[in-house]
Amino acid sequence: MSTSDRILLLLHIGFAIFTLGPLTAATMSTPRYIRKRNVVVVRYLHRTTQIYGIGTLGIFLIGLGLAKGDLAEVWLTVSMTLFVVALVLLLIVERDQRKAVHLLEVAAAEAAPAAVPVRPAAAKEAEEPGEAGEAEGGATEAEAPAAGPAADTGEVAQVERGRLAAMSGVVALIWLVILVLMVWNG
């Protein structure tokens, strides 16, 4: 193996480690933050998926350089085909992340006006401090807003969350199959 081949191999392995690791972590953790309705983190994970998804093209291009046109070997053809399938699945993951960010933003915007309950002026005047809410053991005005988000059990972006979980698992499995092919036959 020549020096230039060794450099290409080091670049290939380096790109694989430093792009596939963060990419897989970002795609696999997205469903958790969709469930928690954390739009800031989901937006960050979406951007991370975009950046590292583009970075994975470096793995493919350097791998083509290492193959030196000898694409007749079955394991190389299978590896490249699986890689292209993984890239297509990553496009679907990226689309679902983008859609989930939009749905979470819409849900947050709809919940923001409902989070501050407005009491009629007649009810404020009729009720003296410390009477009805505290004497009957019911919820006071300060406790009422806290019960709102906890009582909200509606799922936001449930379909996207399920697809993201499934697709990211399949993509991670594809990366492992490609790794086995590279180590076994390389």
Side-chain angles (χ1 to χ4, degrees):
M1 182 177 262
S2 69
T3 304
S4 63
D5 287 344
R6 288 175 197 236
I7 291 172
L8 277 178
L9 183 61
L10 284 172
L11 286 173
H12 184 67
I13 292 170
F15 262 98
I17 291 170
F18 292 110
T19 60
L20 295 182
L23 177 66
T24 304
T27 58
M28 293 190 84
S29 61
T30 301
R32 176 185 328 148
Y33 291 102
I34 292 173
R35 189 176 332 118
K36 291 181 179 182
R37 294 183 178 202
N38 192 337
V39 71
V40 174
V41 174
V42 175
R43 192 179 303 120
Y44 172 76
L45 292 172
H46 174 245
R47 186 70 179 144
T48 301
T49 301
Q50 288 177 328
I51 292 169
Y52 286 103
I54 292 170
T56 58
L57 292 175
I59 299 169
F60 189 76
L61 295 175
I62 294 171
L64 282 176
L66 283 170
K68 294 183 182 174
D70 186 22
L71 304 177
E73 294 188 39
V74 175
W75 67 275
L76 280 175
T77 305
V78 170
S79 295
M80 287 189 292
T81 303
L82 286 173
F83 199 93
V84 170
V85 168
L87 287 178
V88 169
L89 292 176
L90 281 173
L91 288 173
I92 296 170
V93 165
E94 189 273 333
R95 180 204 63 191
D96 285 341
Q97 285 177 326
R98 186 174 357 102
K99 191 172 180 183
V101 166
H102 174 71
L103 291 172
L104 288 171
E105 288 172 344
V106 168
E110 290 174 355
V116 181
V118 178
R119 292 182 50 193
K124 287 182 183 176
E125 294 172 1
E127 187 176 300
E128 293 294 322
E131 279 184 0
E134 295 172 3
E136 295 173 8
T140 63
E141 184 180 343
E143 294 170 354
D152 186 15
T153 59
E155 293 293 326
V156 175
Q158 185 174 4
V159 172
E160 287 76 13
R161 192 179 80 210
R163 264 198 307 247
L164 282 166
M167 295 287 181
S168 62
V170 170
V171 170
L173 185 62
I174 289 173
W175 297 143
L176 288 175
V177 170
I178 292 171
L179 175 67
V180 168
L181 287 171
M182 293 291 137
V183 171
W184 192 276
N185 296 303

